[in-house]
Amino acid sequence: NLLEIGLGTNNPKIVSSMGVKGKPGASIRAFKEIYQNASIYGADVDENILFQEDRIKTMKVDQNDLESLFKLDSFGIKFDLIIDDGLHYQLSNLNTLNYALSSLNEGGYLVIEDIGSWTIDTWKVVNFILSKYYETQIIEMSETNYIFVLQKP
């Protein structure tokens, strides 16, 4: 069970838009092809890009509202992989982290992409605290971009 938060809106009026030429849902459709036995779930704040198809279900979620993330529990499952590729704001990332801690299967992973260097001190504190209970890692992708990875034991 794979969940991606942030499906890539192409509405330029929505924060974190890919632009009008973006292809919403492209990554979860790619995951569907790669992981042929997986159930794929997606979440985004833009209702207009949500869709359902074989092995893919999507839902409206606002990452800036923690209660909204917990609506994903209505899928009735826990996840083996949660990818946060949504708003890329510190609050939204921390909300996703909060949600993931109770929503991952044992051995499951959380990957938070595109963490800006200007927020890395927060992530160092998060990493320090959570590393006592989970496998965690901060990966530097460039001078200004990091990824946070957590594995639930």
Side-chain angles (χ1 to χ4, degrees), residues 16-31:
S16 293
S17 173
M18 299 182 300
V20 294
K21 293 185 180 182
K23 296 190 182 205
S27 58
I28 60 173
R29 286 186 172 110
F31 289 132

Side-chain angles (χ1 to χ4, degrees), residues 3-4 26 67 70 91 96 99 114 120 138-139 142 145:
L3 168 66
E4 182 172 34
E67 287 183 30
F70 279 94
L91 172 64
T96 298
Y99 172 73
D114 300 322
I120 200 62
I138 297 172
I139 302 168
S142 71
N145 190 346

